[in-house]
Amino acid sequence: FYMESKMSVFSSVLGLDDGNVFVTAPCVENDDSDLYNKLWVAILNPKLEIVGENYIELEEPYLSFSTSTMHALFNDDKEIVVATLVTDSIPEYTSVIYDYSFYKFDTNCNLLKHAYLENLSRQCKIDDFTQVPDKDMYAVFGYGMDVSGMANVIYIDNDLNYKSMSFLDEQQEYPDFMLPYRMSVGHWYDETSFLMSAQTVQTEGCNNWKPFVVKMDTEMNVVKTLDLERVDT
């Protein structure tokens, strides 16, 4: 592929209904800089040819995209929605504090809508980004928006505005008080409950992490948990 920028990092790939894929990559024109100040998005056909692309510039005061966090989904309106993190700090010289950035594209990579969301915590991480079925609402699973640094889910409406936040910090609801890390939401049963895989440091064997699967409702109440740790490995 030919890109206008000298440095880039591929961050996500999303399969579309027509066999094409949507890819994202933060990039920078100067290969001596640590600031990835452009977002490259493209549509690739099954022959891996670029059939549509776009470069999105960061707006002031932001300086750089996060190269490790970028999630894309295909919503019910046949739009591509991207969630990522941006910072107004220079990573090389300071402790980086990230804010959220959301984008909507059509299947030709035209930008339809964009919104920033200020993070109210020094910690910010997106583990997963999903659409709540049958509702014009998105869920961001991870850490941020609260100074406690606890795992949470942030709800965003279809216009990319902040709606609400729920914590995943009720330890008594999890077996052995295993609070979730590295969350991934792979299935929504309906608009009120979903299946989430996660890990916890509360292990019983020689493992560093314990994997488990949990069914949750949208207020982060635990419905059922399946512990997948093998203590002999």
Side-chain angles (χ1 to χ4, degrees):
F1 304 127
Y2 173 77
M3 296 179 64
E4 295 177 0
S5 299
K6 292 184 178 180
M7 287 181 56
S8 64
V9 179
F10 278 108
S11 294
S12 67
V13 178
L14 174 69
L16 305 180
D17 293 340
D18 56 4
N20 293 340
V21 295
F22 174 83
V23 297
T24 62
C27 52
V28 60
E29 294 178 351
N30 182 357
D31 55 8
D32 294 327
S33 174
D34 291 328
L35 301 178
Y36 289 80
N37 57 359
K38 286 186 178 181
L39 172 62
W40 179 69
V41 296
I43 302 291
L44 309 181
N45 65 19
K47 296 181 180 180
L48 300 185
E49 299 167 331
I50 297 175
V51 295
E53 64 178 337
N54 197 356
Y55 286 87
I56 308 301
E57 297 275 359
L58 270 178
E59 299 174 14
E60 293 184 356
Y62 295 107
L63 300 175
S64 182
F65 287 98
S66 168
T67 59
S68 60
T69 302
M70 198 162 288
H71 299 267
L73 61 82
F74 201 43
N75 70 12
D76 294 337
D77 297 323
K78 307 301 181 184
E79 300 165 330
I80 300 165
V81 188
V82 174
T84 186
L85 301 177
V86 292
T87 180
D88 59 1
S89 304
I90 300 176
E92 185 178 355
Y93 299 107
T94 185
S95 175
V96 178
I97 299 176
Y98 285 104
D99 290 336
Y100 299 89
S101 188
F102 301 95
Y103 302 88
K104 276 188 182 182
F105 299 94
D106 64 19
T107 52
N108 293 314
C109 289
N110 296 308
L111 181 62
L112 304 176
K113 195 172 185 62
H114 171 228
Y116 291 115
L117 173 61
E118 182 182 1
N119 174 34
L120 303 179
S121 169
R122 295 187 64 85
Q123 184 174 0
C124 192
K125 183 173 181 285
I126 301 176
D127 280 350
D128 207 353
F129 176 56
T130 68
Q131 182 177 24
V132 180
D134 302 320
K135 286 190 176 182
D136 291 333
M137 186 165 64
Y138 306 95
V140 182
F141 293 83
Y143 304 85
M145 296 299 291
D146 185 84
V147 293
S148 69
M150 301 300 295
N152 56 38
V153 58
I154 298 166
Y155 293 107
I156 307 295
D157 66 20
N158 200 39
D159 290 325
L160 307 181
N161 298 312
Y162 173 82
K163 285 181 63 70
S164 62
M165 176 181 61
S166 296
F167 288 105
L168 291 86
D169 62 349
E170 296 296 332
Q171 286 186 309
Q172 65 270 19
E173 293 196 8
Y174 297 90
D176 301 321
F177 302 102
M178 50 186 190
L179 290 177
Y181 295 89
R182 301 174 181 172
M183 298 165 284
S184 178
V185 179
H187 174 69
W188 283 84
Y189 295 96
D190 50 40
E191 70 275 9
T192 62
S193 61
F194 57 89
L195 184 68
M196 180 177 74
S197 64
Q199 295 181 2
T200 178
V201 294
Q202 301 292 336
T203 64
E204 298 173 359
C206 59
N207 308 295
N208 291 326
W209 293 91
K210 173 197 295 227
F212 66 97
V213 175
V214 60
K215 183 178 181 180
M216 308 275 290
D217 66 20
T218 51
E219 295 182 354
M220 299 302 104
N221 298 307
V222 176
V223 179
K224 189 173 182 179
T225 303
L226 174 63
D227 183 350
L228 298 176
E229 182 179 32
R230 288 182 54 182
V231 296
D232 60 333
T233 58

